[in-house]
Each structure stands twice: as C-alpha cells, then as structure tokens.
C-alpha cells in the first residue's frame, strides 16, 4: 500500500504540465501514433499547460494585491483565510486514503468505456485531487470512508457523462475537435442553465454577443491589449494605487489578455494530432463510436469571454464579501475565479452579457460554500500538518470547483440530523443537470441533422 502510494504521489507531484503530457504520449502510442509524433504532441501540450499556468500566476500576482488593497481601503476584516486551490490540493492529498482515488478513477473510466457508457477517455488524471476533496468533505460529515469513496465514484461517473454531453458544444466554441472537459467546474452549469433560460426570454439578451461582437461595436477599445489596459487602470484607481503602480498594473493586465489566445494555439497544435489518432483508432475498433479525450479547462483559455468574465468577477466578489450575510471568508488567493467563468461560458455559448449576469448571480455561492467548508478543511490541515496555521486561524477556498455539487453531495447526509437544506439543493442540482443535459444533447442532434442536410 505504502509503495503504491509513493509511486502515485511521485507522478502526481510532477504537476499537470508533466503528468498530463505523459498520459497523452502513452495514449498516443496505444492508438498507433508514431513515437516522434506522440512525443512532440506531449511536449507541446506541456508547453501549453506551463504557458497557461504562468499567465494565470502572472495575472493573479498582478490583480490579487489590488484586490487586497480594495478590501483594506474598505476596512474589512474576515476571519477565514483564502488558501486558493493549491492549498486545497495540498490538504486533500494529506488525507490518508487519498492515493486510492487514483486507481478508482482509472477503473471506473475503463469499465464505462468497455460497456459503452461513455465516449470520454479522461487524460486529466492529475486533477484527481478534486475527487479527494469531495471525499474528505464526506468523511468530515459522516465519519465514513466507505461513503466518501461512494460519493467520489458518483462524481467520477458524472464528470465523464458531463464531458460526453459538453463535447459538441466545446468543439464548436474552441474549434478543437475530439476533446472535451472532465473538470468538475462544469457542474455549476446545472444551476446556471435554468437562470440562463430565463435570461434568454429577454429579447436584447437573446441576441448573439461575444467578444467578436464587442469588437465590432467598440472597435479598438475591445481589442485585448487595450481592454486589458483599461481594466488595469480601473483596478488601480479602485485600489488607490499611485500613478506608476496603476500604469504598471494596466500593462500587466494588457499583457495577460493579449497572450491568453496565443497560448491556446499550442493546445490546438498538441491536441489535433492526438484527437485525430484516437478517432481513427476507435473508428477502426468500433464503427459506431468516436472516442474523445477529456482534459482540464485550460484548452478553452483562448476565449476572450472567459477572461472578461473573470476580471468582472473580481470586484463583484469583493463587493459581495463586504456585506453578504453568512460570509466569513476573505477572498484573496481564489480571486481569479475560473470555476465561475468557465461554466458560464459553456452555458451561454459565449454570450458575454449573460455570462456577466450569471457570474454576478452565482459569485455569492462560492463565498457561502467556502465559509461552510472552513471548519473541516481547517481541522484536516491542523491534524495532518499539511498547512501551518496560527492558533485559532481558519482556512478555506473562495473558488471551490463545482461548489453546489460539492456542498450538496457531501452535506446531504446531514438530513439524518434534521438539516434538509443540502437535500433540497441536491434535488435542485439534479433537476438542473437533467435540463441542461437535454439542451446539450438536442443541440448536438440538431447540428448533426443540419450537417447531413447540407451534404
């Protein structure tokens, strides 16, 4: 057991930029890619992951101090420290049974592929910590390790099914064939979708309005570099920065927004040969199936709409943290909230106006869930020594992926203590999930029919 744990932890410790390309190279060789092509694709994918990670860190380092300055200017003090996703990952891996989640994920994926219950091969094994995080939450509520793995298994299945349902829309939005997203952040779309249905009933919000339309209406002011510069100026003013610091922040924001689409091209360059090889291999083996590759969200990072929504969400989240009843977390490390922007992008199909509305409506959810999870996250951090905390200090995350799903599925067992709120939220999530699933499948079917008619 200990040897297996050490092996798993070693490979996962390499990070997504190394671990995921290794999985992709192995998968490429299995589907008969040439060795040089598989290695080239894997290294290019590693470059893309590293580039995207560098840009996000660069953007976070630029904006987070400004966000903190805004809170200090408002004289706000909240008791729960925001550790961000990296701290949550560290704490999750400190759970004694964490290493068992890795073989569970692989086994479920293989079984579902063999029995044709999914068409997604999940190459995003590095993000197995997300399943561990949910399991840790279940253990904190129920004290049952068995229930923790049952809920984690349900999450794994739902991630694969969500990846199947989203694949067509993701291909339309990203332009990358044969890939989909297996990250649990897409789960929030289940509750965003019913709200988006209501927004679509407003005529002006029903019209297509993506980043391209924004450029048509605003001209140079909607160009990535100019828009980033303007947003940086706004942040600098809100943070009461000096002129030089404000201009520096503006240039950094302009740099980040300019380079995100550039990095995404490397995802396309890496994934195109892999997805083609996988499709050819599966078509030869199963004439009625096309296998797709499931990945983390960064290959969607070329969508300007995502970054506009992310930047919009920073002041929105900060404002909510000031007066939101029940919130005790000070948003900082998780202030760049992609778990809010990405599902909004997928639900709306990139309609930037509806995205901003959805991000505004659902920003409080992350603060509430972050507050609710703080006690058990703090207890685990203290008991394992994974994170050094001062006496009495609490820690959590202000951008927990798939917050509604994670809260509902882990806290639903509180119904036995007379708390029915998590059960009600779980039912609402499942209802939204089924509605959203129907919409995604109908879109894929209608587009398929349209293509056949035009042939």
């Amino acid at each position: 057991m200990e040897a297996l744990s050490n092996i798993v932890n070693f490979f996962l410790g390499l990070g997504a930029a190394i671990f995921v390309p290794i999985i992709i190279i192995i998968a490429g060789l299995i589907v008969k890619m040439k060795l040089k092509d598989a290695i080239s694709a894997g290294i290019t994918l590693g470059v893309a992951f590293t580039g995207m990670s560098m840009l996000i860190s660069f953007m976070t380092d630029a904006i987070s101090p400004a966000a903190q300055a805004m809170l200090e200017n408002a004289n706000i003090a909240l008791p729960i420290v925001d550790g961000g996703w990296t701290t949550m990952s560290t704490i999750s891996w400190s759970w004694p049974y964490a290493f068992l989640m890795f073989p569970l994920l692989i086994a479920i994926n293989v079984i579902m592929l063999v029995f044709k219950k999914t068409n997604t091969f999940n190459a995003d094994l590095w993000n197995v910590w997300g399943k561990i995080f949910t399991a840790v939450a279940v253990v904190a509520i129920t004290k049952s390790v068995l229930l923790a793995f049952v809920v984690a298994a349900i999450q794994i299945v739902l991630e694969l099914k969500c990846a199947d349902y989203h694949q067509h829309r993701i291909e339309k939005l990203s332009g990358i064939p044969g890939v989909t997203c297996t990250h649990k952040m897409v789960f929030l779309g289940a509750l965003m979708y019913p709200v988006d249905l209501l927004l679509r009933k407003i005529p002006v919000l029903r019209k297509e309005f993506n980043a391209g339309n924004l450029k048509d209406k605003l001209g140079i002011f909607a160009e990535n570099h100019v828009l980033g510069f303007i947003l940086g100026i706004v942040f600098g003013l809100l943070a009461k920065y000096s002129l030089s610091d404000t201009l520096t922040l503006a240039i950094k924001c302009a740099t980040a927004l300019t380079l995100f689409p550039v990095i995404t091209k490397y995802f396309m360059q890496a994934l195109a040969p892999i997805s083609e090889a996988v499709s050819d291999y599966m078509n030869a083996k199963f004439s009625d199936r096309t296998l797709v590759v499931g990945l983390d969200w960064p290959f969607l990072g070329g969508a300007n709409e995502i970054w506009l929504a992310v930047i919009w969400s920073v002041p929105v989240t900060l404002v909510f943290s000031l007066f939101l009843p029940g919130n005790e977390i000070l948003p900082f490390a998780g202030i760049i909230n992609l778990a809010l922007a990405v599902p909004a992008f997928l639900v709306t199909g990139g309609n930037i106006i509806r995205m901003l509305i959805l991000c505004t409506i659902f920003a409080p959810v992350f603060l509430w869930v972050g507050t609710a999870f703080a006690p058990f996250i703090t207890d685990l951090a203290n008991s394992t020594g994974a994170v050094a905390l001062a006496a009495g200090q609490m820690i959590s995350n202000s951008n927990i992926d798939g917050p509604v799903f994670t809260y509902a599925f882990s806290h639903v067992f509180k119904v036995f203590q007379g708390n029915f709120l998590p059960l009600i939220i779980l039912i609402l999530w499942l209802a939204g999930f089924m509605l959203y699933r129907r919409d995604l499948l109908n879109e894929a079917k209608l587009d398929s029919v349209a293509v056949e008619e035009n042939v």
Side-chain angles (χ1 to χ4, degrees):
M1 279 292 192
E2 185 177 352
L4 176 60
S5 176
N6 290 337
I7 293 172
V8 170
N9 289 334
F10 169 76
F11 280 105
L12 291 172
L14 296 174
I18 298 176
F19 184 78
V20 176
I22 289 175
I23 297 298
I24 287 294
I25 291 172
I26 293 172
L29 295 176
I30 290 174
V31 297
K32 310 300 183 182
M33 282 186 74
K34 293 181 179 179
L35 178 61
K36 64 180 182 64
D37 293 338
I39 292 175
S40 177
I43 293 175
T44 303
L45 187 60
V47 169
F49 268 110
T50 301
M52 188 63 73
S53 178
M54 288 171 60
L55 277 179
I56 293 172
S57 295
F58 176 76
M59 189 174 182
T60 301
D61 291 344
I63 290 180
S64 291
Q68 187 175 30
M70 294 178 206
L71 291 173
E72 290 173 352
N73 293 335
N75 294 318
I76 186 70
L78 294 167
I80 302 173
V81 175
D82 180 10
W85 75 266
T86 52
T87 303
M88 297 306 103
S89 175
T90 300
I91 293 173
S92 297
W93 278 111
S94 67
W95 186 46
Y97 302 98
F99 73 99
L100 294 175
M101 199 65 69
F102 190 73
L104 177 67
L105 186 152
I106 295 174
I108 291 175
N109 196 179
V110 170
I111 290 170
M112 290 181 67
L113 284 170
V114 169
F115 287 96
K116 299 185 178 181
K117 298 302 180 181
T118 185
N119 291 321
T120 300
F121 159 67
N122 187 5
D124 184 26
L125 302 180
W126 184 80
N127 269 317
V128 69
W129 79 266
K131 273 66 74 177
I132 298 170
F133 183 83
T134 303
V136 168
V138 174
V139 169
I141 301 298
T142 67
K143 311 304 180 186
S144 171
V145 174
L146 177 61
L147 274 179
F149 278 98
V150 169
V151 173
I154 292 172
Q155 179 177 324
I156 292 168
V157 171
L158 288 173
E159 284 177 353
L160 290 168
K161 298 307 293 183
C162 266
D164 290 336
Y165 303 147
H166 276 98
Q167 195 277 324
H168 177 74
R169 183 170 293 181
I170 284 175
E171 183 171 330
K172 284 175 61 178
L173 293 171
S174 69
I176 306 176
V179 297
T180 186
C181 182
T182 44
H183 201 292
K184 76 166 179 173
M185 64 169 59
V186 302
F187 286 166
L188 187 57
L191 287 186
M192 284 184 167
Y193 175 72
V195 178
D196 191 57
L197 279 182
L198 295 176
L199 295 178
R200 292 182 206 174
K201 294 184 180 297
I202 303 172
V204 69
L205 297 181
R206 197 162 52 237
K207 297 178 181 178
E208 182 179 351
F209 196 81
N210 54 29
N213 303 127
L214 191 63
K215 288 183 180 180
D216 292 338
K217 293 183 180 298
L218 299 181
I220 191 174
F221 292 102
E223 293 288 343
N224 284 21
H225 59 296
V226 177
L227 184 59
F229 187 84
I230 293 172
L231 291 171
I233 292 290
V234 172
F235 274 108
L237 293 174
L238 292 174
K240 297 183 179 180
Y241 275 5
S242 66
L243 177 61
S244 61
D245 288 342
T246 298
L247 291 174
T248 300
L249 176 59
I251 285 295
K252 287 182 176 180
C253 289
T255 301
L257 286 190
T258 301
L259 293 180
F260 278 124
V262 175
I263 293 298
T264 302
K265 293 178 182 177
Y266 290 97
F267 280 103
M268 298 177 69
Q269 182 179 328
L271 294 171
I274 288 288
S275 61
E276 183 179 344
V278 169
S279 296
D280 290 343
Y281 180 82
M282 288 304 296
N283 287 337
K285 296 289 183 180
F286 307 97
S287 58
D288 60 337
R289 293 178 77 189
T290 300
L291 195 68
V292 295
V293 179
L295 290 172
D296 199 354
W297 71 269
F299 71 94
L300 295 167
N304 294 330
E305 296 86 358
I306 289 177
W307 302 108
L308 292 176
V310 165
I311 293 173
W312 165 269
S313 300
V314 172
V316 167
T317 302
L318 291 175
V319 169
F320 273 121
S321 72
L322 300 179
F323 65 84
L324 186 69
N327 173 56
E328 295 182 8
I329 188 168
L330 182 68
F332 181 60
I335 198 66
I336 302 298
N337 196 348
L338 286 149
L340 179 59
V342 171
F345 174 68
L346 295 177
V347 167
T348 64
N351 183 298
I352 187 62
I353 303 300
R354 300 207 307 271
M355 283 179 67
L356 298 184
I357 295 173
L358 289 177
C359 287
T360 302
I361 292 172
F362 284 90
V365 172
F366 288 85
L367 296 174
W368 280 323
V369 172
T371 298
F373 278 29
F376 83 79
I377 292 174
T378 302
D379 287 345
L380 184 63
N382 286 328
S383 63
T384 61
V387 178
L389 298 175
Q393 187 180 49
M394 299 185 73
I395 191 168
S396 188
N397 183 11
S398 66
N399 66 351
I400 291 173
D401 300 316
V404 177
F405 170 91
T406 309
Y407 172 80
F409 274 78
S410 61
H411 284 63
V412 69
F413 302 100
K414 283 197 169 185
V415 69
F416 299 110
Q417 302 170 14
N419 183 355
F420 288 88
L421 179 61
L423 177 61
I424 293 171
I425 293 175
L426 175 58
I427 293 171
L428 290 174
W429 185 87
L430 288 171
F433 178 81
M434 296 307 295
L435 286 172
Y436 188 30
R437 167 188 176 274
R438 184 183 63 182
D439 181 74
L440 291 169
L441 293 178
N442 284 342
E443 178 183 288
K445 183 177 180 180
L446 290 173
D447 286 351
S448 178
V449 171
V451 169
E452 291 177 0
E453 290 177 350
N454 290 328
V455 173

